[in-house]
């Protein structure tokens, strides 16, 4: 249903091709139903538009699945420790969002070249998130907050020999971002290496780049605010166009390649890499199609 709202917005903005793609996204779903009555998605028509709510959900599952596989692989050895890093910048207006994301991307590359970083960090997974302040009482109302969530790999000796303090991380990010204020930087060690804290950090990193409630704006009457929705959709669609929303580096990039994983953003959204693959042949195919009038799926066969 949110896809239909987004499709209507694209239509009003005269992005007719994207409107049609989003409107038809997920209009049919083929499942394998196994003898034990479990279902596994087999085919679907996903549009892969960056803001599509349905595709964003599938991407989130895929990123979680891929990073989980990579972390499972690397934790087979006991040579590493893991950190969760959040890098931020000040909120910006919609007109400045694209430029601000450019600065973030550039700053992250600068940070990787710094001696302090290079001496301590063995690999990373980085994801971009953009939030939209829709609190009408806030001084930052209708501004955007792009920021990075990162999982970092370090040696076991990190906290004894190569430790980077919170202050040093903050100073480093401020220098690379080239700003005259102190940006908020949060660095945390995974307390339970390979268990619950690891899952939480992976889930945080795998969050949607933009949640649909950041651009589908609902007014006080519980109706879609078309003016604000169209404005937000236009801003975010242009700012995220052709962006690399996630990235691997160092040892995590190497493992990603070894596991032969595809692109988590623009790759296959049917197999999300955390599904349990079934090899048995005892299944039947069921197809479900979306009914625009009833706003629900119905079984075709």
């Amino acid at each position: 249903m949110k896809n239909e709202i987004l499709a209507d917005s694209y239509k009003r903005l005269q992005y007719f091709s994207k409107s049609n793609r989003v409107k038809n996204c997920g209009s049919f779903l083929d499942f394998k139903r196994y003898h034990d009555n479990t279902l596994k998605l087999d085919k679907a028509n996903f549009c892969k538009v960056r803001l599509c709510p349905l595709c964003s959900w599938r991407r989130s599952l895929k990123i979680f699945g891929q990073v989980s596989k990579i972390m499972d692989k690397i934790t087979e050895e006991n040579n590493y420790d893991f950190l969760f890093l959040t890098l931020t910048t000040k909120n910006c207006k919609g007109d400045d969002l694209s430029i601000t994301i450019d600065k973030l991307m550039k700053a992250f590359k600068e940070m990787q070249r710094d001696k302090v970083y290079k001496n301590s960090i063995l690999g990373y997974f980085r994801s971009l998130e953009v939030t939209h302040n829709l609190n009408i009482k806030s001084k930052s109302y209708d501004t955007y907050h792009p920021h990075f969530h990162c999982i970092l790999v370090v040696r076991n000796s990190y906290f004894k020999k190569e430790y980077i303090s919170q202050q040093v991380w903050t100073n480093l990010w401020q220098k690379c971002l080239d700003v005259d204020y102190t940006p908020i930087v949060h660095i945390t060690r995974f307390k339970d290496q390979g268990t619950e804290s690891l899952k939480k950090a992976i889930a945080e990193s795998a969050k949607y780049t933009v949640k649909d409630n950041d651009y589908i704006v609902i007014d006080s009457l519980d109706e879609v605010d078309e003016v604000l929705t169209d404005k937000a959709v236009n801003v975010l669609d242009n700012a995220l166009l052709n962006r690399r929303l996630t990235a691997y580096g160092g040892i995590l990039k190497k493992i990603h390649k070894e596991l032969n994983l595809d692109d988590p953003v623009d790759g296959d959204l049917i197999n999300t890499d955390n599904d349990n693959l079934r090899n048995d042949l005892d299944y039947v195919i069921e197809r479900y199609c979306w009914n625009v009038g009833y706003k629900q799926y119905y079984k075709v066969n």
Side-chain angles (χ1 to χ4, degrees), residues 41 46-48 54-56 58-59 62 262-272:
L41 185 63
F46 294 123
C47 69
K48 297 185 180 181
L54 188 56
C55 290
S56 294
R58 298 298 295 180
R59 285 192 195 101
K62 189 178 185 72
D262 70 349
D263 187 280
V265 174
D266 297 317
D268 172 28
L269 294 181
I270 296 173
N271 177 21
T272 57

Side-chain angles (χ1 to χ4, degrees), residues 194-224:
T195 56
E196 289 306 312
S197 67
L198 185 58
K199 292 178 183 177
K200 289 179 181 177
I202 293 172
E204 184 72 13
S205 299
K207 289 196 306 185
Y208 300 4
T209 299
V210 184
K211 297 183 182 68
D212 53 56
N213 57 10
D214 281 315
Y215 54 84
I216 296 177
V217 184
I218 306 300
D219 62 23
S220 57
L221 299 176
D222 207 28
E223 298 287 339
V224 176

Side-chain angles (χ1 to χ4, degrees), residues 132 144 214-215 217 227-237:
H132 184 196
Y144 294 84
D214 281 315
Y215 54 84
V217 184
V227 173
L228 279 178
T229 293
D230 292 354
K231 180 182 176 183
V233 167
N234 195 46
V235 165
L236 290 164
D237 187 84

Side-chain angles (χ1 to χ4, degrees), residues 23 43 56 70 78 83 108 118 152 185-186 198 207 224 227 235 237 246 267-268 274 291:
K23 194 175 188 67
K43 294 179 182 178
S56 294
I70 292 169
N78 295 320
L83 310 173
F108 192 83
K118 290 169 69 174
L152 305 179
V185 175
H186 187 66
L198 185 58
K207 289 196 306 185
V224 176
V227 173
V235 165
D237 187 84
T246 63
D268 172 28
N274 62 337
N291 186 297

